[in-house]
Structures are given as C-alpha cells and as structure tokens.
Amino acid sequence: MTLYSTLAGSRLVPLVLGLGGAGCVVVALALVFRVALLVPWGVALVGAAYAVFLRLRGGAVDSNAVYVAVGLVVTAEVAFLSLRPPVPAGDGRIQWDAALRIVVIAIATLLGGGIVLVASGASGGGLVLEGIGVAASVVIVSAVVTLAARARDSAST
Amino acid sequence: MTRTLGPKLVAYVALAATALVAALALRLQELVVVALPFALVPAVALLLARRPAVDVRLDLERERALEGDEVESVLTLDASGGVDRLEMLLEVPRGLGIVDGRNPVAFHLGNDEVRPHVLRLRCGRWGGYRVGRVFFRARDRFDLVAWEWDVDVRAPLKVYPREEVVRELLQPAETQVFSGNHVARQKGEGIEFVDLRQFTPGDRVRRVNWRASARRGELWVNEQHAERNADVILFLDTFTEATSDGGSTLDLALRAAASLTARYLQQKDRVGFVTFGGMLNWMLPGTGTTQLYRLVDSLIDTQIVFNYAWRDLGVLPRRTLPPKAMVVALTPLLDDRAAGALLDLRARGFDLVLVELAPQPFMAPPRGEIAAVARRIWELKREALRGRFREAGVPVAVWDDDRGLAVGLEEVSQFRRRARVALG
C-alpha cells in the first residue's frame, strides 16, 4: 500500500513515503515486541499515507481503494493473529479457521468496497468493478436474510 | 463467566471511526471504502457472538497410584451451543506432570458435539492431589469477543511414596502383651527355648523334657520365650526440610515411614505415627490392613508448616506414645525443637531409634573459603548433636538416597548389639 501511494503519486513523495514507512516500522515493532496496541497505529499511519496521496492526487475516485482496504484489513488480521498467545490445536479444523476467516474478510471487503465505489459513481473501474458491485449486492441481501432468519429462530427458542 | 472485548475490536472500531471522520473532513470517498471492513467485521462479529455453553466431566483412570506411575485422565467436553474456538487448560498440581496429551489445547466444537480429550499424568511426587480445575477461554469467529471461565470438576488422586528396600527390621527392646512375631524377654507360650524348671501341677505333658526328667529322676519341663507383638511409633520431624529439585528430606521421611509401616504391620505389630512440627498430626497405634491404608493416607497429607512456636512433648496426647513403644524418629536434625523433644523422649525411657535424613545432598556445595569453613563448623555441630544422642543410648542411622534405608537400619542393629555386649 505504501509503495502504491508512493509510486502512483507525484507530489510530496517523501511525506507519503515517510508516513507509510513509519506505519510499516510500527507494525514490525508491534510484532517484534508483541504489543497489540501498536498494530492499529501502524495501520493508521499507512492509511494516512494513502489519504495524503489521495488528497494530493485530486481528480476521479481511485478505483484501487478497494484493494488498499483489502491490504490494510488483511495486514491487521495477520498481525493480530500472530500476536495471539499460541495454543496447540486439538483438531485440524482449528488450524484452517484463521486462514479461512482472513480469506472471507478479504472477499467481503472486495464485494463491499465494490458496492461503495459503484454507488459513489467511480469511473475507471470498468466492467470488473461493476460486476463486483452487483455480486456484493446479492451477497449482502443474502446475508441480511440469513441473519434475520437466524435471529427469528433464536427468538422463538 | 467473564465476557471481554479484545484489543482487536477496539482497534477496528477506532480505525473505522478515524477513516470515516477523515473521509468527511477531506471529502475522500475512498476512505469510506477503507473504513468499510474495519466497521463491518466488529458489527457482524457482535451480531453472531453467542455465549458458549460447555459441560465438562473428568474421569481419572484410578484414584490411587505410586510415585512414578502414569494415570490417564479423560476430559469430556459437551458443547450444547457450539464454540468456534475453545481454549482449555487443565490445572496440573505441582508434583504431577503431563507426559502425553496437549495442555493447553484449542478446539472447534460443533453444536451438541461431545469431545473427549485424553491427558496422561505422571505422578512425580507423593501427596494427596485434587485434579480437575479447568480453565476455559472461548473466542468468537472473528476473534473479537472472548469469554473466560473456570470449572471445578476435581477428583481425588492419592499418590503414595515408593517403598524402600528393608531387609531386616529393627527389633524392639520391649514387647506388648498380644501375640506377635517378636521373641519377648518374658517366659510364656512360644518356640524359643529359655530354661528348665521342675514340673508343677497344671503343666502340660507335652512341655515335659523327658531326657532331663530321666536323668534327674523327676519331672522337668521346658520353658520358652513368649512371642509377642510390639508398638512402633514413627516420629516425623516436620519443623523444616532441606529441599532441591531432586526431592527433599521430607520425601525420604515419607518413603521410609511408608516402608516401615507396611513391614511392621505385616509382623502383626501395632503402628502409629506422630508428625511433630509446625502442624501436629498423629494416629494412635493400630494393626491390620485398614491401619496401613489409614496411616499412609494420613502420611501423604504431611507438609512442612513454618512455625516459630516452641513445641515439646507436652502438646502430644498421652495415648499417642504408649509405654514400651519403640519410637523410630525420622528427622533431618535441622531444628533444635525436634532434637530437644527426642532427647526428652529418651529421658522418659522410650526405646528411641534415630534415622537421620541427611540434608547435605539437597544443599548446594559451599562457594569460597568462608562458606567452606562455615559448612565444616555446621557439620561439627551436627556431629556433636549425634554424639549427645549416642551418649543417651540412642542409635543414630544416617540415611541418604545413595546408601539406602536398609544400610542405615543395619547400622542401628549393630549399635544395639554392641551396646548389649558392653552392658553385659
């Protein structure tokens, strides 16, 4: 994300690079010294670098924002996962649960981000982004229906 | 059950809020996309989070074991509502260890799933344990909310000390009135020949010594030593102990006490015990297998309780030390109160045997010249104390793990034999 913000922008590159680099260093320190409190600060600094890049860039909505969002959330998930106290797994499923969760969150972010970008009228995403937006709508409606059904079941029991 | 919100939840909500505020302030729609996952994940997680309902049961393979044995324990989890990630830790008391099985361990439990988890425990040290305090931590699917609780399903596990090899038991100086395996000083019904005397009305014909009667022209009968039992009191000094990673003097005392108890009870003797220290404990002398279990069960509850109070024999109930009992004292000779009480016991006429549990193997070697001199002075003081006991007619056997209890008891027997020769 830092590289993208740095390479795609043309103004105040050292500031963007500095912010993004500081974010990476903070996340690395959080992992080395096992301080969970530092992880959001690192993610926020990388996000700040992206915000500065966007502010300086101007123009149309950046269609790559959805990938930046996926990158940030996956980074945060992996960082928190590695900071969790290690407990040996008693079965095979528990070992794959975390990886599966990260994949699901990444896909959900792609879909949700796509909806927001489509709704905001971002251009330049092309047919792929339009497709993601439509798929996201379907998934969100399905999720809402599922949650409503589950809530009704739990209320009746 | 305690419900806690993890640092990840706080971080995600803060990141989402910051990104949304920045999106508004800077008029950047892209930051809404960036905020989206950080807002959605906590929202969905809190919506789906369910309070876990897990029942747990503990089954121990057996309730009694010997030092060094392995005991299988099965923790059976029954999740009525299902748990995405359940972390479990069985509290293992000090003295026990786990040789097979994972502890702590994490599971995924489905709805109404019953899952057994097997742990193999090694009984490292004697003692009365209660195994079965289990700590749980359940996490939701997104690892944002955690529930922590503990369950007490403790079951008793008694670990008995391993037996020491005892080739020959100490013979008590005095016997009691009930029949047993010891040859008494008194004359009576028995096997060991002691003397001849003239026949008196009432004597059994089978006791007539026909050869002596024929030689003297009148009836003479044999007299035998009676075979009686004895009272043995095990006196454990629990004021203090020398301890290291490899064990302690109290371990030696318990192993010796358990071994001697079993052997004397096999000989139909009455055995009791007194633990004399910061906490007093005693059991009146008795005989039989029941007494063996009662004694060993009580012995494994023995512990060192630090206490400054001066204790003498006056605090002991009179019946715990019956007259003519042989008192076998198991002591590291580290506390003056125990030494004083034992000398007092001897002065009251008890047949006292001192088994000194050598504390030196449990101590670090002296470092430096001053420490070496201090150690030598300490050794000399101990030797002087042993001398006081020997002067009082008390045999002292020094026992450490290398020599074995049998060697120490043999030394005591030799001391007693020499003492008899000297007296004669």
Side-chain angles (χ1 to χ4, degrees), chain A residues 61-62 77 88-91 101, chain B residues 8 12 29-30 102 106 115:
Chain A
V61 174
D62 182 18
E77 281 290 329
D91 55 24
R101 183 182 74 218
Chain B
K8 188 173 152 186
Y12 276 27
Q29 294 163 6
E30 294 91 336
R102 290 174 174 172
R115 181 189 288 264

